[in-house]
Amino acid sequence: MGSMDGTVALVTGAASGLGQAVAAGLARDGALVVVVGRSPARAEEAVMSIRTLVPGALLEPLACDLSVQSSIRTAAAEFLSRHGRLDVLVNSAGVFRKDRHVTPDGLELTFATNVMAYFVLTNLLLDALKSAGATEAIPETANQHAEGARVGRIVNIASKYGNTKLNFDDLQTATGRYSYLRSTPPTMLARVLLTQEFAERLQGAGVVANAVHPGLVKNTSLLHDVGGPFRLLANTFGATAEEAADTALWLATSQETAGVSGKLWSKRKELPTPGMGSNPEARKRLWDACSQLAGLQ
C-alpha cells in the first residue's frame, strides 16, 4: 500500500521533464494525480506517458493554458467539480522564451506563466487544500503516515535567483530591451516570495507551502525555445528528471516535511533566500500587484 493512497494531487507542467517525474512519483505512491497539460491532447498525452512509467497509476487529465487566466479559472472549476479536496499541489510549469510575447490578458508571457499562474491557480484551489488539512485521508492502519496526510501541501518549483531584484515599476519587462535573461530570473525570485507569502497567510490553516530549486535538468522541454549553449549545458551537466524530482516528492509526501513551510529547498536541504528574498515588504508588494493583475482583490 502506497503512503499516498486515498490522496489527490494536481501537477502542472506534467507533460515532460521534472513535472512528469513528480507526477509519476506521486502516482507510484498511490495518489490520484490530476495531470495538467496545455490542451486536452497534451494532457491526455501526459497521462499516457506517465502510465508507461507507472502502469497502475490513477490519473486524470486536465487541460489548462496556464498563460491565460480564464483558462486557469475554468480548469480550477473543473477540478473542484470533481474533487472536494486537494492534498498536494505541485506548480511545476514554466516557460523560458527568447522573445517578448503578450497573453490575451495583456501580460508578458513569462511573467504570466511563471508567476501569475502560480498565484491564481493556488488561490483558486486554497479551499480544497485546506479541506485536505482538515480531513483524515488515510485509514488508521497506515498509522505511520496518518500524521503527514493531514496537511495540504503546496510545492512550487523555483530556482536560486542570484542577485536578482524585482523592479516593481516594470514587473513584466515592458521597458528597455526584452531578453529571457532579464525576464526569467525575477520570475524565480517572485515564486520564492509568493511561496513565503502563501506560507505566512496559511499559518494554522493546515496547509504548508515550500519552494524547490531543482538545478539543471536534462532534456527539459523548457529550453526548446532558447536552445543553443544553454540546452547543451543542461543536457551535459543536468540531473535526470527523476533525480531532480526527489526533493519535490519529499516535500509533497514525507512526514518529516509536514510541518515545514515558507522555505526554499535543494537536495533536501534548506537554501538561504538572500537579498529581496528575505524582505517581507517585497513579498507583500508582489502579492498586491498579483492580486490586482488577477482581479482577486
Side-chain angles (χ1 to χ4, degrees):
M1 173 166 159
S3 61
M4 299 289 284
D5 284 2
T7 63
V8 180
L10 184 147
V11 182
T12 70
S16 68
L18 180 66
Q20 188 167 91
V22 171
L26 291 166
R28 201 171 280 123
D29 249 355
L32 171 108
V33 185
V34 178
V35 174
V36 177
R38 202 168 35 231
S39 62
R42 287 291 294 269
E44 200 50 70
E45 221 170 279
V47 162
M48 291 187 330
S49 349
I50 295 165
R51 274 245 157 82
T52 60
L53 300 170
V54 188
L58 292 169
L59 302 167
E60 259 179 34
L62 181 63
C64 180
D65 180 340
L66 289 156
S67 67
V68 181
Q69 290 182 29
S70 59
S71 180
I72 298 174
R73 290 172 193 275
T74 303
E78 193 178 318
F79 172 86
L80 294 169
S81 72
R82 293 205 292 256
H83 302 284
R85 62 165 220 280
L86 175 60
D87 298 274
V88 176
L89 169 62
V90 181
N91 289 305
S92 174
V95 291
F96 209 64
R97 297 301 286 270
K98 250 200 312 228
D99 304 307
R100 193 173 198 279
H101 296 271
V102 174
T103 71
D105 300 309
L107 299 173
E108 184 271 318
L109 184 85
T110 307
F111 180 79
T113 313
N114 288 2
V115 181
M116 289 301 293
Y118 277 43
F119 178 80
V120 176
L121 183 63
T122 307
N123 268 303
L124 294 174
L125 296 176
L126 272 188
D127 285 344
L129 284 155
K130 288 177 183 169
S131 299
T135 55
E136 179 55 270
I138 290 180
E140 276 312 306
T141 48
N143 220 348
Q144 71 278 28
H145 300 294
E147 268 316 289
R150 279 198 293 266
V151 183
R153 306 188 197 215
I154 300 162
V155 179
N156 291 329
I157 304 303
S159 180
K160 287 198 289 202
Y161 45 83
N163 293 324
T164 316
K165 290 186 175 57
L166 285 181
N167 176 354
F168 283 104
D169 300 323
D170 185 24
L171 280 176
Q172 302 179 55
T173 49
T175 58
R177 204 170 67 82
Y178 173 88
S179 82
Y180 56 87
L181 288 174
R182 234 187 98 202
S183 72
T184 309
T187 66
M188 295 300 148
L189 166 59
R191 287 178 177 184
V192 171
L193 291 172
L194 286 177
T195 302
Q196 294 169 345
E197 188 65 15
F198 271 115
E200 184 161 309
R201 287 166 181 257
L202 291 164
Q203 261 176 8
V207 182
V208 296
N210 287 285
V212 181
H213 165 71
L216 288 174
V217 183
K218 283 186 201 307
N219 304 322
T220 170
S221 61
L222 192 62
L223 300 177
H224 272 336
D225 194 48
V226 183
F230 249 153
R231 253 176 100 178
L232 185 66
L233 193 72
N235 290 344
T236 310
F237 299 107
T240 65
E242 285 64 37
E243 291 165 337
D246 172 72
T247 301
L249 284 168
W250 175 69
L251 287 166
T253 62
S254 167
Q255 218 182 318
E256 244 179 293
T257 55
V260 184
S261 198
K263 309 285 187 207
L264 173 63
W265 299 86
S266 177
K267 300 190 168 131
R268 300 196 183 191
K269 294 201 167 33
E270 200 185 312
L271 290 181
T273 54
M276 209 179 250
S278 50
N279 177 348
E281 281 317 294
R283 60 173 202 249
K284 289 189 173 46
R285 201 170 162 189
L286 175 64
W287 181 279
D288 292 342
C290 290
S291 301
Q292 229 165 345
L293 289 169
L296 284 173
Q297 293 305 74

